[in-house]
Amino acid sequence: MESGAVLVEQSPTPPWKIMSVSSIAADVQFAWALQISLLTPYIQTLGVADSFSALIWIYGAFSGMVLQPILGYKSDRCTSRFGRRRPFIAAGTALACLSFILIGFAKDIGYLTGDSVDQKLKPRAVAVFVLGFWLIDVANNTLQGPCRALLADLCFLDHRAMQTAMSRFSFFMAVGNVLGYAAGASSHIHNLFPWARTESCRVNCENLKACSIIAVFLLLLVTLTAIFSVSEVQLSEEWVRKQFNNNNETMLFIEQVVSVFHTMKKPMRLLLVVTFLTWLAWFPFILMGTDWVGKEVFGGKVQGDKSSKSRYELGVRSGSMGMMVNSLVVAVASLAIGPLTRVMGSQLFVGWRVDWGGCDYEEGRGVVEQCTCR
């Protein structure tokens, strides 16, 4: 080991470890699928207008925009003895479990703190639900970025292995979507946990509570498996200080983020523009999709009579089923894109350096020095 640097031997990572880390994406997307399919309709049952429920989603976009670069910056420079990525994954897991509990038990907590079962607006339940809703976005961003970066770390300089790892990550994202939308499409999932029914929580609330419990168990299973199956090398404080000096780390973080866009090559800029336009079109659809099907297609109402409520709930479940089919297509495509790019020719990885997870990996001989982070 050189003074002030940490060396990592370049040895192939077993495929099952790549799969283990990639599987964390399944629970991340399970949570987001639940948000998309159930949470917009559910918060309206607490007395919140649909226009306000859309505003709640804005926080998720801001948290992702702010958190992702910060987390990448911090995890690249983390000197924890547990490694650079695993502490963030563990923190995201704990936060996600808390958020699931808050979302699933929002009505119960609201009832215990003063909400009435008969009142239309349940302010305490709304406060607990919104807190959990916002925390799940923070938790998912805390999990997803470091997981992608850890996959890149495990692949070293093998570009094909990195491409395969990211396709596995995409596949598990699709699996999580399928499971989340399938849970949203089911009206009987609460039967798995008969004890979930309380005076303040019936049927739809029970279904959401059951989904939250399943998400907690699934998350703990996949993240603990990944954390304990993968080992990371601790960065030395001396190496970090050396890199800070060499890479002009006195520059403010926001200045570094802005400078990246100035130095970014044209193909990457175009890719970012395409991604921006794609989400601009797609996000409003997924935001209100199941709610729209319940109201406009099935003619239901959230706060209507029994027949209107039944039509609305059936519409939400049908919308979730449509989202699930969409996710099945994504799952197939994520597995097929690797072979297709090899057949048709891929421009995904060009040159001697690969930018992934916030690091530039320089090619070495026999060993790979810890990535030179920006």
Side-chain angles (χ1 to χ4, degrees):
M1 180 179 297
E2 298 177 5
S3 176
V6 179
L7 300 180
V8 180
E9 292 186 3
Q10 186 176 1
S11 57
T13 300
W16 71 269
K17 290 189 177 183
I18 297 293
M19 295 290 284
S20 177
V21 176
S22 299
S23 67
I24 296 176
D27 201 82
V28 172
Q29 290 303 126
F30 183 87
W32 267 323
L34 286 180
Q35 281 185 297
I36 293 167
S37 61
L38 293 181
L39 299 193
T40 296
Y42 180 76
I43 195 171
Q44 295 178 62
T45 68
L46 302 179
V48 176
D50 55 358
S51 58
F52 180 76
S53 66
L55 292 176
I56 296 174
W57 281 88
I58 294 177
Y59 175 83
F62 278 112
S63 68
M65 183 174 63
V66 174
L67 276 178
Q68 286 289 0
I70 292 177
L71 289 172
Y73 181 91
K74 293 294 185 182
S75 67
D76 285 343
R77 295 152 179 78
C78 181
T79 58
S80 168
R81 64 188 181 91
F82 299 106
R84 295 192 297 169
R85 318 299 183 187
R86 291 188 298 170
F88 291 90
I89 294 174
T93 300
L95 192 59
C97 290
L98 173 62
S99 62
F100 281 130
I101 292 172
L102 291 175
I103 290 172
F105 291 83
K107 272 192 175 180
D108 291 332
I109 297 173
Y111 177 73
L112 292 174
T113 54
D115 283 345
S116 171
V117 176
D118 299 324
Q119 68 184 115
K120 181 179 179 180
L121 178 63
K122 300 174 175 59
R124 296 168 183 82
V126 170
V128 174
F129 180 88
V130 170
L131 176 61
F133 190 93
W134 285 350
L135 287 178
I136 194 63
D137 281 310
V138 175
N140 283 343
N141 283 306
T142 305
L143 279 168
Q144 187 165 252
C147 280
R148 288 182 183 272
L150 180 56
L151 285 173
D153 294 344
L154 294 173
C155 291
F156 301 105
L157 290 175
D158 190 338
H159 298 171
R160 179 163 293 183
M162 193 178 298
Q163 184 178 359
T164 301
M166 294 305 164
S167 70
R168 296 295 179 268
F169 191 88
S170 178
F171 170 75
F172 278 108
M173 289 175 67
V175 169
N177 276 332
V178 170
L179 294 176
Y181 292 131
S186 173
S187 60
H188 304 291
I189 196 169
H190 64 274
N191 292 331
L192 296 173
F193 306 100
W195 51 266
R197 171 166 292 197
T198 62
E199 185 176 352
S200 60
C201 186
R202 302 297 176 91
V203 189
N204 290 335
C205 175
E206 289 179 79
N207 284 332
L208 183 60
K209 188 185 292 185
C211 291
S212 298
I213 294 170
I214 292 172
V216 169
F217 281 111
L218 178 62
L219 180 62
L220 290 175
L221 175 64
V222 296
T223 54
L224 290 177
T225 301
I227 287 173
F228 287 108
S229 64
V230 175
S231 60
E232 294 186 88
V233 177
Q234 180 181 5
L235 290 178
S236 68
E237 293 283 354
E238 183 182 355
W239 183 88
V240 171
R241 286 194 299 270
K242 178 182 176 181
Q243 291 302 116
F244 283 0
N245 293 331
N246 289 345
N247 289 330
N248 194 22
E249 294 295 333
T250 57
M251 185 188 300
L252 293 176
F253 171 69
I254 188 64
E255 293 178 3
Q256 293 186 25
V257 173
V258 173
S259 69
V260 168
F261 289 96
H262 286 295
T263 59
M264 190 177 293
K265 295 182 179 180
K266 184 178 179 180
M268 185 58 70
R269 290 184 180 179
L270 292 175
L271 179 61
L272 291 179
V273 171
V274 171
T275 303
F276 167 77
L277 294 175
T278 301
W279 278 100
L280 184 65
W282 178 239
F283 199 75
F285 172 75
I286 62 176
L287 179 65
M288 304 297 292
T290 56
D291 182 68
W292 179 83
V293 173
K295 290 178 179 176
E296 302 298 330
V297 178
F298 283 76
K301 294 182 179 179
V302 180
Q303 300 290 350
D305 55 31
K306 186 175 181 180
S307 176
S308 296
K309 286 183 178 179
S310 297
R311 291 198 301 272
Y312 178 78
E313 292 165 4
L314 179 60
V316 169
R317 291 195 295 271
S318 299
S320 298
M321 182 65 69
M323 293 287 196
M324 186 188 74
V325 174
N326 175 272
S327 298
L328 286 172
V329 174
V330 174
V332 174
S334 65
L335 292 178
I337 195 169
L340 283 175
T341 54
R342 286 193 288 271
V343 172
M344 300 172 63
S346 173
Q347 298 299 319
L348 294 178
F349 304 101
V350 179
W352 293 100
R353 301 199 307 174
V354 177
D355 292 343
W356 214 299
C359 283
D360 294 340
Y361 287 80
E362 303 284 356
E363 186 169 19
R365 296 184 299 273
V367 295
V368 179
E369 188 174 2
Q370 287 287 356
C371 60
T372 303
C373 306
R374 292 185 231 168

mmCIF file with all atom_site columns, all heavy atoms in Angstrom, residues 196-209:
data_model
loop_
_atom_site.group_PDB
_atom_site.id
_atom_site.type_symbol
_atom_site.label_atom_id
_atom_site.label_alt_id
_atom_site.label_comp_id
_atom_site.label_asym_id
_atom_site.label_entity_id
_atom_site.label_seq_id
_atom_site.pdbx_PDB_ins_code
_atom_site.Cartn_x
_atom_site.Cartn_y
_atom_site.Cartn_z
_atom_site.occupancy
_atom_site.B_iso_or_equiv
_atom_site.pdbx_formal_charge
_atom_site.auth_seq_id
_atom_site.auth_comp_id
_atom_site.auth_asym_id
_atom_site.auth_atom_id
_atom_site.pdbx_PDB_model_num
ATOM 1   N N   . ALA A 1 196 ? -54.095 -6.322 11.151 1.00 0.00 ? 196 ALA A N   1
ATOM 2   C CA  . ALA A 1 196 ? -53.899 -4.944 10.700 1.00 0.00 ? 196 ALA A CA  1
ATOM 3   C C   . ALA A 1 196 ? -55.174 -4.116 10.785 1.00 0.00 ? 196 ALA A C   1
ATOM 4   O O   . ALA A 1 196 ? -55.121 -2.884 10.785 1.00 0.00 ? 196 ALA A O   1
ATOM 5   C CB  . ALA A 1 196 ? -53.380 -4.931 9.261  1.00 0.00 ? 196 ALA A CB  1
ATOM 6   N N   . ARG A 1 197 ? -56.347 -4.765 10.855 1.00 0.00 ? 197 ARG A N   1
ATOM 7   C CA  . ARG A 1 197 ? -57.604 -4.022 10.926 1.00 0.00 ? 197 ARG A CA  1
ATOM 8   C C   . ARG A 1 197 ? -57.785 -3.426 12.318 1.00 0.00 ? 197 ARG A C   1
ATOM 9   O O   . ARG A 1 197 ? -57.672 -4.101 13.330 1.00 0.00 ? 197 ARG A O   1
ATOM 10  C CB  . ARG A 1 197 ? -58.787 -4.919 10.588 1.00 0.00 ? 197 ARG A CB  1
ATOM 11  C CG  . ARG A 1 197 ? -60.138 -4.267 10.858 1.00 0.00 ? 197 ARG A CG  1
ATOM 12  C CD  . ARG A 1 197 ? -61.283 -5.004 10.218 1.00 0.00 ? 197 ARG A CD  1
ATOM 13  N NE  . ARG A 1 197 ? -61.239 -4.907 8.766  1.00 0.00 ? 197 ARG A NE  1
ATOM 14  C CZ  . ARG A 1 197 ? -62.286 -5.178 7.976  1.00 0.00 ? 197 ARG A CZ  1
ATOM 15  N NH1 . ARG A 1 197 ? -63.433 -5.544 8.494  1.00 0.00 ? 197 ARG A NH1 1
ATOM 16  N NH2 . ARG A 1 197 ? -62.171 -5.082 6.671  1.00 0.00 ? 197 ARG A NH2 1
ATOM 17  N N   . THR A 1 198 ? -58.037 -2.139 12.336 1.00 0.00 ? 198 THR A N   1
ATOM 18  C CA  . THR A 1 198 ? -58.322 -1.429 13.577 1.00 0.00 ? 198 THR A CA  1
ATOM 19  C C   . THR A 1 198 ? -59.578 -0.587 13.373 1.00 0.00 ? 198 THR A C   1
ATOM 20  O O   . THR A 1 198 ? -60.128 -0.521 12.272 1.00 0.00 ? 198 THR A O   1
ATOM 21  C CB  . THR A 1 198 ? -57.149 -0.513 13.985 1.00 0.00 ? 198 THR A CB  1
ATOM 22  O OG1 . THR A 1 198 ? -56.949 0.474  12.963 1.00 0.00 ? 198 THR A OG1 1
ATOM 23  C CG2 . THR A 1 198 ? -55.870 -1.307 14.175 1.00 0.00 ? 198 THR A CG2 1
ATOM 24  N N   . GLU A 1 199 ? -60.006 0.069  14.409 1.00 0.00 ? 199 GLU A N   1
ATOM 25  C CA  . GLU A 1 199 ? -61.217 0.893  14.316 1.00 0.00 ? 199 GLU A CA  1
ATOM 26  C C   . GLU A 1 199 ? -61.050 2.021  13.305 1.00 0.00 ? 199 GLU A C   1
ATOM 27  O O   . GLU A 1 199 ? -62.000 2.418  12.634 1.00 0.00 ? 199 GLU A O   1
ATOM 28  C CB  . GLU A 1 199 ? -61.553 1.475  15.689 1.00 0.00 ? 199 GLU A CB  1
ATOM 29  C CG  . GLU A 1 199 ? -62.870 2.253  15.718 1.00 0.00 ? 199 GLU A CG  1
ATOM 30  C CD  . GLU A 1 199 ? -63.233 2.735  17.110 1.00 0.00 ? 199 GLU A CD  1
ATOM 31  O OE1 . GLU A 1 199 ? -62.546 2.336  18.080 1.00 0.00 ? 199 GLU A OE1 1
ATOM 32  O OE2 . GLU A 1 199 ? -64.196 3.508  17.218 1.00 0.00 ? 199 GLU A OE2 1
ATOM 33  N N   . SER A 1 200 ? -59.846 2.543  13.182 1.00 0.00 ? 200 SER A N   1
ATOM 34  C CA  . SER A 1 200 ? -59.600 3.669  12.281 1.00 0.00 ? 200 SER A CA  1
ATOM 35  C C   . SER A 1 200 ? -59.060 3.248  10.920 1.00 0.00 ? 200 SER A C   1
ATOM 36  O O   . SER A 1 200 ? -58.921 4.074  10.020 1.00 0.00 ? 200 SER A O   1
ATOM 37  C CB  . SER A 1 200 ? -58.596 4.637  12.931 1.00 0.00 ? 200 SER A CB  1
ATOM 38  O OG  . SER A 1 200 ? -57.371 3.980  13.197 1.00 0.00 ? 200 SER A OG  1
ATOM 39  N N   . CYS A 1 201 ? -58.759 1.968  10.747 1.00 0.00 ? 201 CYS A N   1
ATOM 40  C CA  . CYS A 1 201 ? -58.095 1.502  9.522  1.00 0.00 ? 201 CYS A CA  1
ATOM 41  C C   . CYS A 1 201 ? -58.836 0.291  8.965  1.00 0.00 ? 201 CYS A C   1
ATOM 42  O O   . CYS A 1 201 ? -58.768 -0.801 9.537  1.00 0.00 ? 201 CYS A O   1
ATOM 43  C CB  . CYS A 1 201 ? -56.639 1.151  9.830  1.00 0.00 ? 201 CYS A CB  1
ATOM 44  S SG  . CYS A 1 201 ? -55.647 0.731  8.389  1.00 0.00 ? 201 CYS A SG  1
ATOM 45  N N   . ARG A 1 202 ? -59.546 0.508  7.854  1.00 0.00 ? 202 ARG A N   1
ATOM 46  C CA  . ARG A 1 202 ? -60.324 -0.560 7.231  1.00 0.00 ? 202 ARG A CA  1
ATOM 47  C C   . ARG A 1 202 ? -59.985 -0.708 5.751  1.00 0.00 ? 202 ARG A C   1
ATOM 48  O O   . ARG A 1 202 ? -59.714 0.263  5.062  1.00 0.00 ? 202 ARG A O   1
ATOM 49  C CB  . ARG A 1 202 ? -61.839 -0.273 7.374  1.00 0.00 ? 202 ARG A CB  1
ATOM 50  C CG  . ARG A 1 202 ? -62.308 -0.114 8.818  1.00 0.00 ? 202 ARG A CG  1
ATOM 51  C CD  . ARG A 1 202 ? -62.113 -1.404 9.596  1.00 0.00 ? 202 ARG A CD  1
ATOM 52  N NE  . ARG A 1 202 ? -62.474 -1.263 10.996 1.00 0.00 ? 202 ARG A NE  1
ATOM 53  C CZ  . ARG A 1 202 ? -63.690 -1.505 11.488 1.00 0.00 ? 202 ARG A CZ  1
ATOM 54  N NH1 . ARG A 1 202 ? -64.669 -1.866 10.670 1.00 0.00 ? 202 ARG A NH1 1
ATOM 55  N NH2 . ARG A 1 202 ? -63.930 -1.366 12.777 1.00 0.00 ? 202 ARG A NH2 1
ATOM 56  N N   . VAL A 1 203 ? -60.006 -1.896 5.244  1.00 0.00 ? 203 VAL A N   1
ATOM 57  C CA  . VAL A 1 203 ? -59.834 -2.311 3.852  1.00 0.00 ? 203 VAL A CA  1
ATOM 58  C C   . VAL A 1 203 ? -58.695 -1.575 3.132  1.00 0.00 ? 203 VAL A C   1
ATOM 59  O O   . VAL A 1 203 ? -57.573 -2.060 3.111  1.00 0.00 ? 203 VAL A O   1
ATOM 60  C CB  . VAL A 1 203 ? -61.142 -2.194 3.057  1.00 0.00 ? 203 VAL A CB  1
ATOM 61  C CG1 . VAL A 1 203 ? -60.965 -2.858 1.679  1.00 0.00 ? 203 VAL A CG1 1
ATOM 62  C CG2 . VAL A 1 203 ? -62.290 -2.875 3.809  1.00 0.00 ? 203 VAL A CG2 1
ATOM 63  N N   . ASN A 1 204 ? -58.965 -0.396 2.531  1.00 0.00 ? 204 ASN A N   1
ATOM 64  C CA  . ASN A 1 204 ? -57.909 0.289  1.776  1.00 0.00 ? 204 ASN A CA  1
ATOM 65  C C   . ASN A 1 204 ? -56.725 0.627  2.659  1.00 0.00 ? 204 ASN A C   1
ATOM 66  O O   . ASN A 1 204 ? -55.566 0.489  2.263  1.00 0.00 ? 204 ASN A O   1
ATOM 67  C CB  . ASN A 1 204 ? -58.461 1.573  1.132  1.00 0.00 ? 204 ASN A CB  1
ATOM 68  C CG  . ASN A 1 204 ? -59.424 1.279  0.008  1.00 0.00 ? 204 ASN A CG  1
ATOM 69  O OD1 . ASN A 1 204 ? -59.360 0.221  -0.611 1.00 0.00 ? 204 ASN A OD1 1
ATOM 70  N ND2 . ASN A 1 204 ? -60.315 2.209  -0.262 1.00 0.00 ? 204 ASN A ND2 1
ATOM 71  N N   . CYS A 1 205 ? -57.017 1.098  3.848  1.00 0.00 ? 205 CYS A N   1
ATOM 72  C CA  . CYS A 1 205 ? -55.959 1.400  4.808  1.00 0.00 ? 205 CYS A CA  1
ATOM 73  C C   . CYS A 1 205 ? -55.215 0.130  5.197  1.00 0.00 ? 205 CYS A C   1
ATOM 74  O O   . CYS A 1 205 ? -53.992 0.128  5.315  1.00 0.00 ? 205 CYS A O   1
ATOM 75  C CB  . CYS A 1 205 ? -56.562 2.088  6.026  1.00 0.00 ? 205 CYS A CB  1
ATOM 76  S SG  . CYS A 1 205 ? -55.384 2.398  7.354  1.00 0.00 ? 205 CYS A SG  1
ATOM 77  N N   . GLU A 1 206 ? -55.969 -0.955 5.356  1.00 0.00 ? 206 GLU A N   1
ATOM 78  C CA  . GLU A 1 206 ? -55.338 -2.244 5.683  1.00 0.00 ? 206 GLU A CA  1
ATOM 79  C C   . GLU A 1 206 ? -54.414 -2.702 4.561  1.00 0.00 ? 206 GLU A C   1
ATOM 80  O O   . GLU A 1 206 ? -53.323 -3.228 4.813  1.00 0.00 ? 206 GLU A O   1
ATOM 81  C CB  . GLU A 1 206 ? -56.404 -3.305 5.912  1.00 0.00 ? 206 GLU A CB  1
ATOM 82  C CG  . GLU A 1 206 ? -57.209 -3.153 7.172  1.00 0.00 ? 206 GLU A CG  1
ATOM 83  C CD  . GLU A 1 206 ? -58.248 -4.255 7.282  1.00 0.00 ? 206 GLU A CD  1
ATOM 84  O OE1 . GLU A 1 206 ? -57.879 -5.385 7.663  1.00 0.00 ? 206 GLU A OE1 1
ATOM 85  O OE2 . GLU A 1 206 ? -59.405 -3.990 6.958  1.00 0.00 ? 206 GLU A OE2 1
ATOM 86  N N   . ASN A 1 207 ? -54.862 -2.526 3.314  1.00 0.00 ? 207 ASN A N   1
ATOM 87  C CA  . ASN A 1 207 ? -54.028 -2.912 2.176  1.00 0.00 ? 207 ASN A CA  1
ATOM 88  C C   . ASN A 1 207 ? -52.717 -2.134 2.163  1.00 0.00 ? 207 ASN A C   1
ATOM 89  O O   . ASN A 1 207 ? -51.640 -2.696 1.931  1.00 0.00 ? 207 ASN A O   1
ATOM 90  C CB  . ASN A 1 207 ? -54.784 -2.675 0.867  1.00 0.00 ? 207 ASN A CB  1
ATOM 91  C CG  . ASN A 1 207 ? -55.833 -3.732 0.597  1.00 0.00 ? 207 ASN A CG  1
ATOM 92  O OD1 . ASN A 1 207 ? -55.704 -4.867 1.036  1.00 0.00 ? 207 ASN A OD1 1
ATOM 93  N ND2 . ASN A 1 207 ? -56.873 -3.356 -0.129 1.00 0.00 ? 207 ASN A ND2 1
ATOM 94  N N   . LEU A 1 208 ? -52.816 -0.822 2.402  1.00 0.00 ? 208 LEU A N   1
ATOM 95  C CA  . LEU A 1 208 ? -51.608 0.006  2.424  1.00 0.00 ? 208 LEU A CA  1
ATOM 96  C C   . LEU A 1 208 ? -50.704 -0.389 3.586  1.00 0.00 ? 208 LEU A C   1
ATOM 97  O O   . LEU A 1 208 ? -49.475 -0.437 3.439  1.00 0.00 ? 208 LEU A O   1
ATOM 98  C CB  . LEU A 1 208 ? -51.992 1.479  2.523  1.00 0.00 ? 208 LEU A CB  1
ATOM 99  C CG  . LEU A 1 208 ? -50.826 2.475  2.490  1.00 0.00 ? 208 LEU A CG  1
ATOM 100 C CD1 . LEU A 1 208 ? -50.029 2.346  1.201  1.00 0.00 ? 208 LEU A CD1 1
ATOM 101 C CD2 . LEU A 1 208 ? -51.337 3.904  2.644  1.00 0.00 ? 208 LEU A CD2 1
ATOM 102 N N   . LYS A 1 209 ? -51.303 -0.684 4.719  1.00 0.00 ? 209 LYS A N   1
ATOM 103 C CA  . LYS A 1 209 ? -50.516 -1.106 5.882  1.00 0.00 ? 209 LYS A CA  1
ATOM 104 C C   . LYS A 1 209 ? -49.806 -2.433 5.595  1.00 0.00 ? 209 LYS A C   1
ATOM 105 O O   . LYS A 1 209 ? -48.621 -2.603 5.922  1.00 0.00 ? 209 LYS A O   1
ATOM 106 C CB  . LYS A 1 209 ? -51.429 -1.252 7.107  1.00 0.00 ? 209 LYS A CB  1
ATOM 107 C CG  . LYS A 1 209 ? -50.679 -1.493 8.405  1.00 0.00 ? 209 LYS A CG  1
ATOM 108 C CD  . LYS A 1 209 ? -51.650 -1.752 9.547  1.00 0.00 ? 209 LYS A CD  1
ATOM 109 C CE  . LYS A 1 209 ? -52.460 -0.523 9.897  1.00 0.00 ? 209 LYS A CE  1
ATOM 110 N NZ  . LYS A 1 209 ? -53.324 -0.748 11.089 1.00 0.00 ? 209 LYS A NZ  1
#
